[in-house]
Amino acid sequence: MPDPTYTKTELMICVAARLFEDASTCFIGTGIPMLAAMLASKTSAPNLVPVFEFGGLGALLEELPRAVGEARTFHKALAASGICDTMETAQRGFIDYGFLGGAQIDPYGNLNSIVIGDHDHPKARLPGSGGGNDVGSHSWRTVAIMQHDTRRFVQKLDFITTPGFLSGPGAREAAGLPRGTGPIAVVSTLALMDYDPVTCRMRLKATHPGVTIEEVVANTGFELIIPDKIDANLAPSAEELRLLREEIDPEKLYI
Amino acid sequence: MPDPTYTKTELMICVAARLFEDASTCFIGTGIPMLAAMLASKTSAPNLVPVFEFGGLGALLEELPRAVGEARTFHKALAASGICDTMETAQRGFIDYGFLGGAQIDPYGNLNSIVIGDHDHPKARLPGSGGGNDVGSHSWRTVAIMQHDTRRFVQKLDFITTPGFLSGPGAREAAGLPRGTGPIAVVSTLALMDYDPVTCRMRLKATHPGVTIEEVVANTGFELIIPDKIDANLAPSAEELRLLREEIDPEKLYI
Amino acid sequence: MAVMEGEWRVLESGRGELIQPFDLDEFREWNRTKKTRKLTDKRMSEQEAISRFVYDGCYIGTELYGTVRCPMSLARELVRQGKKNLRVCGQGVLELDLWLSAGLVKKLDITYIGLEVYGTSSALRRAVESGQVVTCVEWSNGAISWRMKAAAMGVPFLPTRSMLGTDTFHYSAAKLVADPFTGAIVALLPALILDVALIHVHRADQYGNAQIEGISGFSAEMARAAKRLIISAEEIVSTDEIRKYPERTIIPYYLVDAVVHAPYGSHPGEMAYIYGRDEPEIKAWVEASKTAEGAQAYLDKFVLGVKDHFEYLKLIGEDKLKACVELREKRY
Amino acid sequence: MAVMEGEWRVLESGRGELIQPFDLDEFREWNRTKKTRKLTDKRMSEQEAISRFVYDGCYIGTELYGTVRCPMSLARELVRQGKKNLRVCGQGVLELDLWLSAGLVKKLDITYIGLEVYGTSSALRRAVESGQVVTCVEWSNGAISWRMKAAAMGVPFLPTRSMLGTDTFHYSAAKLVADPFTGAIVALLPALILDVALIHVHRADQYGNAQIEGISGFSAEMARAAKRLIISAEEIVSTDEIRKYPERTIIPYYLVDAVVHAPYGSHPGEMAYIYGRDEPEIKAWVEASKTAEGAQAYLDKFVLGVKDHFEYLKLIGEDKLKACVELREKRY
């Protein structure tokens, strides 16, 4: 029996965790991606190879890291080098997945984490690219994890920080980005999205329990492709929730 | 009293050793430069910082290295990194001196260590640049150490492996080489040479004991500048010889 | 073989300002004349190091990252001395927040300034949105690290496939060219030579030979890319100890201008294998920094209100520091 | 933003052949599909490693350098298997001498092949002067290392101020351009992606996580620049041992295709902190290699005349190996 007390964030983490492929190399950013990676490594992806941009590779995720450079990112790791080595490893094609956040996402999966409003006279200055642009440029596949509302899912970004499909089919390759790379999914608080292979536009793939298609559409600031067949994401299992609450984030930093 | 039993090689090593500046960083190549560096560090340059291209920096030269990568090049060293770090350190301007050998040298101090005859159909294939070209490009000052004869001191090299002054004044800078760098001396089995500051051509500076100017000229395959005043190099001191024979090269690998 | 500037065909140039122009031959000359090869005792206090080597308007950077092996005792001393109009590169958490809140930063080569798990930086927002920081030039974390790596290598640029196709490129000072070997498009990142760099390490000898445990972040690159380098170290060790394991020297002495003995120098951040994060003290800044007044009160108490790092540690108190040591990462 | 090849203005191109053309996207695809991220046991014998991953005509390189931490047991096995038409990069002492004498090398990206203290290489002279080696493309030691570093970084080229103004440049495959930021002239070194690399290390686990003591040479760069990587190791250690000091992993497992346990794998060369050089055995090659017949006799005895590395060690004999151990570099 699923535990009905789960939160939207817990659900989002569980749906994201299920996307991790076992024995793959994954760039893990601060926050939700860390919880998802840790949950995945305790469930379906025990051989996951987490990569943290400042040098940790193949750490055992026994405790939740709270920053991308802290000791837990290289706890019993296979290697601990530096950011250049890690980013070059990605540039060389060794990183399978990147898990990213952002303040805004557009229909092509481009992300903004730099500024709301005009760059030089911003309404809101956001933290910046960090490793986001690098992760989105070099990882084979990227997954965005986002709160779902119309301020975040927008037709046009105020600033393209991290490349999704840029302006659409072929645009990544034309810009010089590595062949065959790009976003594959968005996990939000409402649903799981993927991308239409022809148009490269975002497409609803599966709704979360209790969420209607209309709710997803109403919270999306651009035209989302709604295919005929839409899956339903499973609610967090009791075991997923137990792991999240007792082992992964007992201090409730995120959940 | 100088020991009259010294060899030409021992003398050459002593004259080269006296050129080392204390507390300077010096690229040391295999062979005679190693003996000279070791002698210098035991006499006038106790704070010499030897740099070996494959990564050894600041080693204590307690035993003679027999290769530029072997353990004696990083014996009790301050750092042991790799060739890229070392060459980049040079490219950044941190290496004061480079001590080089070669098969041929021309009036501008360019060196050949690649080929005798035509490159693609050689009379003699020599070992190659090794680190020579890098040392000659990036070190602030380079010193060549050579046997002195007309086959080695030639008007025109068969191949410019390592840059001296190239074609003359301003040529290094025009080629893009770092500003203010270049050869400063040649230590041979007959004499010590430097370079005329105006023409950048090789100039006799000091003859070895018992060697006449005529002998130097006769063994030089190009017109050597002979200034009015020529110094005389001192013979090896008894202590220099003792160090060389007993402490530096007791196995007589070189001397 | 004289060449006109720009004779290369550049496909596109980022519109961002190159806020720290570079001259490799001048850098070489600096490295020749201002960096002694002598083994000299470079130990000094935070006060002396900051006052001797940091100056108003300089281009400065800190390694690693806010709460992780970050030279916090140097960052706080810089605030006490009120060095201003700083041009700053890269990523930051607490350390850049302090400088921004103290109004010391004029221009940023920015990659990330935020509070990690605690979200965005209010200090950054206030400083940028008010116009106090007059310029933000955008880069990715990889790009800014490679810019230092270019300087460390002694070359004018490095190519990358990061930043392509995005506004991150358009608001950077990178240039787009085609690789002459294959025709592929790459961005060229200009070398970044810092006026001053601050790096915190596990141990150093009195001359500056420095060793780091765990990830090395961008310490190797930044140390080699800086005209002045201040090292703070948890522990000062003998040079014999350095010579025993020369492969662990990540920063050789000749790069270093000052060695500051700073136990708990990364507090309230962590130092792998020595102490863990001081979460309550980090949260204190997160809360305080939400308003300008709160930030000022924090600065007044924890930075301006103490004379030096040792007074700061006394203010924090031995019990809290001991608790951090308990939380340290261990080698099994 | 389609770009024609060569739209960059190149001031000059070296006339040397790019004997190993590269395609970064193809390398990425290789790294994606042919390099597992799984921790799999990769231990195998020299025979198996060479026969599975080295092939006629491949582009191959060895690290470090002849008599120093060099994968000699792999080099000898390659001769036994007679892999031919090799294209080879870089520097070499004994190991390349063996291949040259056995007539296995067709093209060279050459920096240095010689016998160090013992002078020039007769094997090289015979092979090049006879035309058996059909092409020598010239590079400096720095340049060839940076070419591997470019591949390791995943970029098409790296700039350098080496090789400028010399025939070394003219007989290389580098290109001369002006830096678009400052107008300075630099040489662009094309990325070098090796088909196979052989590296000898102090210790590795069964998956290939490898650690090196002392200087690292160009191991980090070569390991990352190769499509196939064979590691030989003096010692096989547990993965727990690797995880205890992750900062010492210079080659992570996913780069590695084969792990060969090869005690005395560098013999007659040295292995810092484990054993020193076997000077008499090195001299034996120096003398033997002066003539083609002598070289063949050496090969017959020490390489072709033994079945594998363990037979080779038996031939050398325990006493000599023990003597080498006595001569090892020590940590004080």
Side-chain angles (χ1 to χ4, degrees):
Chain A
M1 271 292 288
D3 177 335
T5 68
Y6 64 84
T7 66
K8 280 186 175 181
T9 300
E10 286 172 333
L11 174 61
M12 181 166 69
I13 294 167
C14 292
V15 173
R18 297 169 197 155
L19 293 177
F20 281 78
E21 184 187 342
D22 195 25
S24 64
T25 43
C26 297
F27 253 133
I28 311 294
T30 296
I32 300 295
M34 288 176 177
L35 285 90
M38 214 168 146
L39 180 57
S41 73
K42 288 173 184 288
T43 54
S44 56
N47 304 300
L48 186 72
V49 185
V51 181
F52 296 94
E53 63 186 280
F54 286 97
L57 181 133
L60 299 184
L61 297 175
E62 294 175 355
E63 289 187 292
L64 183 67
R66 287 148 304 180
V68 288
E70 72 141 314
R72 293 170 185 188
T73 66
F74 52 93
H75 174 69
K76 299 184 186 173
L78 295 169
S81 61
I83 182 167
C84 286
D85 182 49
T86 304
M87 292 303 187
E88 291 158 14
T89 298
Q91 197 158 243
R92 236 166 41 240
F94 271 106
I95 308 296
D96 300 319
Y97 292 89
F99 285 78
L100 288 166
Q104 292 181 326
I105 191 166
D106 74 10
Y108 295 108
N110 303 302
L111 291 163
N112 174 18
S113 59
I114 288 189
V115 76
I116 302 295
D118 175 65
H119 177 270
D120 296 340
H121 302 90
K123 260 186 264 181
R125 172 69 218 196
L126 307 175
S129 158
N133 179 285
D134 306 298
V135 171
S137 295
H138 305 295
S139 306
W140 285 104
R141 311 175 185 91
T142 51
V143 175
I145 307 181
M146 308 268 300
Q147 299 283 323
H148 205 138
D149 60 49
T150 53
R151 288 186 308 124
R152 290 186 170 86
F153 284 65
V154 298
Q155 175 63 35
K156 190 172 160 26
L157 301 180
D158 291 6
F159 193 102
I160 300 183
T161 304
T162 297
F165 287 110
L166 297 174
S167 60
R172 281 180 71 94
E173 288 75 5
L177 288 166
R179 193 170 61 209
T181 55
I184 56 158
V186 185
V187 181
S188 79
T189 39
L190 299 179
L192 172 66
M193 275 67 63
D194 65 1
Y195 294 88
D196 178 72
V198 176
T199 63
C200 293
R201 285 181 61 100
M202 202 186 293
R203 178 170 75 176
L204 183 59
K205 183 170 168 62
T207 52
H208 291 346
V211 176
T212 63
I213 296 174
E214 291 66 35
E215 206 179 330
V216 176
V217 168
N219 280 283
T220 303
F222 53 81
E223 200 179 333
L224 191 65
I225 298 176
I226 310 292
D228 292 342
K229 184 178 168 307
I230 293 169
D231 298 332
N233 290 314
L234 292 178
S237 70
E239 174 63 4
E240 283 173 329
L241 284 179
R242 188 193 67 74
L243 286 167
L244 266 180
R245 294 170 182 177
E246 292 175 22
E247 296 189 16
I248 297 172
D249 193 11
E251 294 174 66
K252 305 233 169 294
L253 285 166
Y254 294 90
I255 60 175
Chain B
M1 270 293 286
D3 178 335
T5 67
Y6 64 83
T7 65
K8 280 187 175 180
T9 300
E10 286 172 332
L11 175 61
M12 181 166 69
I13 294 167
C14 291
V15 173
R18 297 169 198 155
L19 293 177
F20 280 78
E21 184 187 342
D22 196 25
S24 64
T25 42
C26 297
F27 253 132
I28 312 293
T30 296
I32 300 294
M34 286 176 177
L35 284 92
M38 215 168 146
L39 181 57
S41 74
K42 288 174 183 288
T43 53
S44 57
N47 304 299
L48 186 73
V49 185
V51 181
F52 296 94
E53 63 186 281
F54 286 97
L57 182 132
L60 299 184
L61 297 175
E62 294 175 357
E63 290 188 290
L64 183 67
R66 287 150 302 181
V68 289
E70 72 142 312
R72 293 170 186 189
T73 67
F74 53 94
H75 174 69
K76 299 183 187 174
L78 295 169
S81 60
I83 184 168
C84 286
D85 183 47
T86 304
M87 291 303 187
E88 291 158 13
T89 297
Q91 197 159 242
R92 240 168 36 242
F94 270 105
I95 308 296
D96 299 320
Y97 292 89
F99 286 77
L100 288 165
Q104 293 182 325
I105 191 166
D106 74 9
Y108 294 109
N110 303 303
L111 291 163
N112 174 19
S113 58
I114 288 189
V115 77
I116 301 295
D118 175 64
H119 178 270
D120 296 340
H121 303 91
K123 260 185 263 179
R125 171 68 218 197
L126 306 175
S129 159
N133 179 285
D134 306 298
V135 171
S137 296
H138 305 295
S139 307
W140 285 103
R141 309 175 186 93
T142 51
V143 176
I145 307 181
M146 308 268 300
Q147 298 284 324
H148 205 139
D149 60 49
T150 52
R151 288 186 309 124
R152 290 185 169 87
F153 284 65
V154 298
Q155 176 61 33
K156 189 172 161 25
L157 302 181
D158 291 6
F159 193 101
I160 301 183
T161 305
T162 298
F165 287 112
L166 297 174
S167 61
R172 282 180 71 94
E173 287 76 6
L177 288 166
R179 194 169 61 210
T181 55
I184 57 159
V186 184
V187 181
S188 79
T189 38
L190 299 178
L192 172 66
M193 277 67 64
D194 65 0
Y195 294 88
D196 177 73
V198 176
T199 63
C200 294
R201 285 181 61 99
M202 202 185 293
R203 180 169 74 177
L204 183 60
K205 185 171 166 60
T207 51
H208 291 346
V211 176
T212 63
I213 296 174
E214 291 66 34
E215 204 177 334
V216 177
V217 168
N219 281 283
T220 304
F222 53 82
E223 199 179 335
L224 190 65
I225 298 176
I226 310 292
D228 293 341
K229 184 178 169 305
I230 293 169
D231 299 333
N233 291 315
L234 293 179
S237 71
E239 174 63 4
E240 283 172 328
L241 284 178
R242 189 194 66 76
L243 287 167
L244 266 180
R245 294 170 182 178
E246 294 175 20
E247 296 190 14
I248 296 172
D249 193 12
E251 293 174 67
K252 304 235 170 292
L253 286 166
Y254 294 91
I255 59 173
Chain C
M1 212 185 288
V3 170
M4 301 290 292
E5 193 169 330
E7 196 172 311
W8 261 15
R9 185 87 58 83
V10 169
L11 303 173
E12 197 179 344
S13 293
R15 50 170 277 185
E17 182 190 347
L18 189 58
I19 63 177
Q20 175 77 336
F22 66 93
D23 178 334
L24 291 181
D25 275 333
E26 190 264 345
F27 187 42
R28 281 180 55 93
E29 193 64 38
W30 177 279
N31 290 337
R32 177 191 202 174
T33 58
K34 309 273 188 164
K35 303 293 244 189
T36 183
R37 281 59 156 149
K38 286 202 183 95
L39 292 170
T40 56
D41 187 349
K42 294 168 188 158
R43 285 172 298 175
M44 59 185 81
S45 64
E46 279 93 354
Q47 290 96 318
E48 186 180 353
I50 295 292
S51 94
R52 279 181 59 182
F53 298 115
V54 182
Y55 50 92
D56 289 355
C58 73
Y59 189 102
I60 188 167
T62 58
E63 208 256 356
L64 178 79
Y65 199 111
T67 55
V68 180
R69 196 173 51 70
C70 193
M72 289 304 294
S73 77
L74 295 170
R76 283 186 290 262
E77 177 60 26
L78 184 147
V79 173
R80 275 192 291 275
Q81 295 193 20
K83 304 290 185 184
K84 53 185 183 297
N85 295 324
L86 301 176
R87 292 167 299 131
V88 177
C89 74
Q91 44 274 90
V93 183
L94 292 185
E95 77 289 25
L96 294 195
D97 256 30
L98 296 183
W99 296 359
L100 287 162
S101 294
L104 305 176
V105 179
K106 188 168 178 188
K107 296 185 176 185
L108 281 171
D109 273 323
I110 187 170
T111 63
Y112 171 93
I113 299 178
L115 296 173
E116 301 166 330
V117 32
Y118 302 111
T120 55
S121 159
S122 304
L124 176 72
R125 287 199 59 170
R126 282 192 298 274
V128 173
E129 294 165 21
S130 70
Q132 181 193 299
V133 168
V134 301
T135 306
C136 287
V137 187
E138 306 296 332
W139 307 92
S140 68
N141 272 354
I144 203 86
S145 308
W146 286 317
R147 289 190 59 199
M148 292 185 238
K149 184 166 179 164
M153 293 177 67
V155 297
F157 56 82
L158 284 178
T160 178
R161 305 176 83 181
S162 278
M163 307 218 304
L164 300 176
T166 62
D167 292 324
T168 311
F169 170 80
H170 295 129
Y171 285 79
S172 78
K175 291 180 187 293
L176 214 61
V177 297
D179 160 33
F181 295 97
T182 68
I185 296 174
V186 289
L188 297 188
L189 303 166
L192 174 55
I193 299 170
L194 295 88
D195 293 321
V196 189
L198 315 177
I199 302 181
H200 189 58
V201 303
H202 288 73
R203 74 189 67 83
D205 70 7
Q206 59 179 319
Y207 311 122
N209 291 297
Q211 303 182 339
I212 288 170
E213 310 269 312
I215 58 166
S216 50
F218 44 100
S219 55
E221 293 79 12
M222 182 178 263
R224 286 157 177 76
K227 292 169 96 172
R228 292 298 186 192
L229 173 58
I230 305 175
I231 291 291
S232 58
E234 291 289 330
E235 190 190 359
I236 304 295
V237 298
S238 74
T239 301
D240 282 351
E241 195 57 35
I242 298 289
R243 289 190 187 275
K244 197 162 176 180
Y245 297 100
E247 64 271 76
R248 300 192 199 160
T249 302
I250 199 159
I251 300 173
Y253 76 99
Y254 56 81
L255 298 170
V256 177
D257 295 285
V259 177
V260 176
H261 185 204
Y264 299 105
S266 177
H267 185 273
E270 66 164 33
M271 196 69 182
Y273 312 115
I274 305 183
Y275 49 89
R277 286 158 64 106
D278 190 335
E279 213 62 56
E281 289 301 323
I282 292 171
K283 281 184 190 155
W285 171 254
V286 172
E287 288 309 313
S289 66
K290 285 180 177 162
T291 66
E293 299 69 31
Q296 188 60 50
Y298 180 99
L299 288 176
D300 287 343
K301 178 174 177 190
F302 289 101
V303 182
L304 304 170
V306 294
K307 189 169 99 285
D308 57 21
H309 182 52
F310 294 97
E311 272 202 5
Y312 170 84
L313 293 181
K314 218 179 290 170
L315 179 65
I316 298 301
E318 210 169 306
D319 290 351
K320 280 193 162 180
L321 297 174
K322 273 191 186 154
C324 293
V325 171
E326 285 305 308
L327 292 171
R328 76 189 180 282
E329 172 73 6
K330 299 178 190 71
R331 301 272 188 194
Y332 277 41
Chain D
M1 210 186 286
V3 169
M4 301 287 291
E5 193 169 329
E7 195 170 312
W8 258 16
R9 185 86 58 84
V10 170
L11 302 173
E12 198 179 343
S13 292
R15 51 170 275 184
E17 182 189 350
L18 190 58
I19 62 177
Q20 175 78 336
F22 65 93
D23 177 333
L24 291 181
D25 276 332
E26 190 264 346
F27 188 42
R28 282 180 54 94
E29 193 63 38
W30 178 279
N31 290 338
R32 178 190 202 175
T33 58
K34 309 273 186 162
K35 303 292 242 191
T36 183
R37 281 61 157 149
K38 286 201 184 94
L39 293 170
T40 57
D41 187 349
K42 295 167 187 159
R43 285 173 297 175
M44 59 186 81
S45 64
E46 279 94 353
Q47 289 96 318
E48 185 180 355
I50 295 292
S51 95
R52 278 181 60 182
F53 298 116
V54 182
Y55 51 92
D56 288 354
C58 74
Y59 189 101
I60 188 168
T62 57
E63 209 256 355
L64 179 78
Y65 199 112
T67 55
V68 181
R69 195 172 53 68
C70 194
M72 289 304 294
S73 77
L74 294 171
R76 283 185 290 261
E77 176 60 27
L78 184 145
V79 173
R80 274 192 292 274
Q81 296 193 19
K83 303 290 185 183
K84 54 184 182 297
N85 295 324
L86 301 177
R87 293 167 298 132
V88 177
C89 74
Q91 45 275 90
V93 183
L94 291 185
E95 77 288 24
L96 294 195
D97 256 29
L98 296 184
W99 296 359
L100 287 162
S101 294
L104 306 177
V105 179
K106 187 168 181 189
K107 296 187 177 186
L108 280 172
D109 273 323
I110 186 169
T111 64
Y112 170 93
I113 299 177
L115 296 174
E116 302 167 328
V117 33
Y118 302 109
T120 55
S121 158
S122 304
L124 176 72
R125 286 198 59 170
R126 282 193 297 274
V128 174
E129 294 164 22
S130 70
Q132 181 191 301
V133 168
V134 301
T135 305
C136 286
V137 187
E138 306 295 331
W139 307 92
S140 67
N141 271 355
I144 203 87
S145 308
W146 286 317
R147 289 189 60 198
M148 292 185 237
K149 184 166 178 164
M153 292 176 67
V155 297
F157 57 81
L158 284 178
T160 179
R161 303 176 84 182
S162 278
M163 308 217 304
L164 300 176
T166 62
D167 291 324
T168 311
F169 170 80
H170 295 129
Y171 285 80
S172 77
K175 291 179 187 291
L176 214 61
V177 297
D179 160 33
F181 294 98
T182 68
I185 297 175
V186 289
L188 298 188
L189 303 166
L192 174 56
I193 300 171
L194 295 88
D195 293 322
V196 189
L198 315 178
I199 302 182
H200 189 59
V201 303
H202 287 74
R203 74 188 67 82
D205 69 7
Q206 59 178 318
Y207 311 124
N209 292 295
Q211 303 182 338
I212 288 170
E213 310 270 313
I215 57 166
S216 50
F218 45 98
S219 55
E221 293 79 13
M222 183 178 263
R224 286 158 177 76
K227 292 169 97 172
R228 291 297 185 194
L229 174 57
I230 304 175
I231 292 291
S232 59
E234 291 288 330
E235 191 190 358
I236 305 294
V237 298
S238 74
T239 301
D240 282 351
E241 195 57 36
I242 297 289
R243 289 190 186 275
K244 196 162 176 182
Y245 297 100
E247 64 271 73
R248 298 190 201 162
T249 303
I250 199 158
I251 300 172
Y253 76 98
Y254 56 81
L255 298 170
V256 177
D257 295 285
V259 177
V260 175
H261 184 205
Y264 299 104
S266 179
H267 185 274
E270 66 164 35
M271 196 68 183
Y273 311 115
I274 304 183
Y275 49 89
R277 285 159 65 106
D278 190 336
E279 213 62 55
E281 290 301 323
I282 293 170
K283 280 183 191 156
W285 171 254
V286 171
E287 287 310 313
S289 66
K290 284 180 177 161
T291 64
E293 298 69 31
Q296 188 59 50
Y298 180 99
L299 288 177
D300 286 343
K301 178 173 178 192
F302 290 101
V303 181
L304 304 170
V306 294
K307 189 170 100 287
D308 57 22
H309 182 52
F310 293 96
E311 273 202 7
Y312 170 83
L313 294 181
K314 220 179 289 171
L315 178 64
I316 297 301
E318 213 169 305
D319 290 352
K320 280 194 163 182
L321 297 174
K322 271 189 188 155
C324 294
V325 171
E326 285 306 307
L327 292 171
R328 74 188 181 282
E329 170 73 5
K330 299 179 189 72
R331 303 270 190 196
Y332 276 43

